[in-house]
Amino acid sequence: MGLSRAFVSGAFALSMCIGMSAQDNNLNAVKARANSGDVPAQFVLGVLYDKSYGGNNWVESSTWYLRAAEQGNLDAQKKIAEHYDFGLGVPKDARLARGWWRNAAEQGDPDAETMLAIELEYSSTFGWERAVFWFVKAAAQGDAFAKKQLIKDSKDILHRSVSPILVFIGLWIVFIANQRKRRGNRDLT
């Protein structure tokens, strides 16, 4: 992932700073790599269409994010989930967005875990308990929003059908994470 992010940053900076003919050559080089199946290049192409080249071409960016996401690229999975959430270049579809957030969350990404929890919490189809599960996972990795949400939601426990033990575990994880932060991340076991 580190190389992919460096490549994305470099390609984005390059696309913003160079002349149009050089930018076209750069885009053609990235397209050639992306069309040959290069996953980081597919993601970069999504970013280029998303942010700069041609000015927010959501349809093209969604196409390339989807291709990279289908091959397991974590960043692309989060971007295509966002596109489905807001209908950017694809039809707005909460079910597909939730599926891509889940794919990214299952790779252990705390941002994706939090977004999936939010999607589940506000979905009438899925239980609040599932949302708490993903908030707990994100909070365990230090996600500040997930920690706040668990603390806030713990006050509603009597009004919901969530296992009290699950919320207790989540609050305990938040407590331990805060203690580690205060003590310089030393092990507290």
Side-chain angles (χ1 to χ4, degrees):
M1 279 307 153
L3 180 62
S4 173
R5 287 190 177 137
F7 185 65
V8 169
S9 298
F12 181 69
L14 183 62
S15 71
M16 296 302 287
C17 297
I18 58 180
M20 198 58 176
S21 64
Q23 186 177 6
D24 286 340
N25 289 337
N26 181 51
L27 182 65
N28 289 334
V30 174
K31 270 187 182 178
R33 289 181 58 190
N35 280 321
S36 71
D38 184 311
V39 177
Q42 291 170 345
F43 178 71
V44 167
L45 205 49
V47 171
L48 290 173
Y49 280 114
D50 205 5
K51 302 292 183 197
S52 65
Y53 190 80
N56 299 81
N57 187 337
W58 303 121
V59 173
E60 279 294 316
S61 65
S62 293
T63 299
W64 290 106
Y65 285 145
L66 185 59
R67 286 180 70 178
E70 287 171 340
Q71 296 180 70
N73 182 284
L74 174 65
D75 294 322
Q77 289 174 345
K78 293 190 309 185
K79 290 302 288 182
I80 196 64
E82 184 180 293
H83 280 222
Y84 278 116
D85 264 339
F86 298 104
L88 304 174
V90 292
K92 190 173 182 175
D93 189 324
R95 185 186 58 79
L96 287 173
R98 202 169 30 253
W100 285 113
W101 286 123
R102 181 177 304 282
N103 287 346
E106 288 173 350
Q107 292 188 52
D109 184 81
D111 294 332
E113 291 167 350
T114 298
M115 289 304 299
L116 178 58
I118 291 168
E119 297 266 342
L120 292 169
E121 185 173 27
Y122 294 105
S123 168
S124 61
T125 309
F126 297 96
W128 187 71
E129 196 160 319
R130 290 183 186 178
V132 171
F133 172 79
W134 289 104
F135 278 134
V136 167
K137 288 188 68 128
Q141 295 185 68
D143 187 271
F145 181 83
K147 289 179 188 179
K148 288 177 187 172
Q149 196 66 22
L150 279 172
I151 292 167
K152 177 185 145 296
D153 288 346
S154 68
K155 296 171 186 170
D156 296 334
I157 194 64
L158 296 175
H159 304 291
R160 305 225 189 184
S161 61
V162 175
S163 166
I165 191 68
L166 184 59
V167 174
F168 173 77
I169 290 168
L171 293 173
W172 183 251
I173 288 170
V174 170
F175 171 76
I176 294 296
N178 287 337
Q179 291 298 313
R180 285 184 177 159
K181 186 176 180 180
R182 279 190 213 110
R183 295 181 183 179
N185 292 328
R186 290 182 297 189
D187 192 8
L188 294 175
T189 55

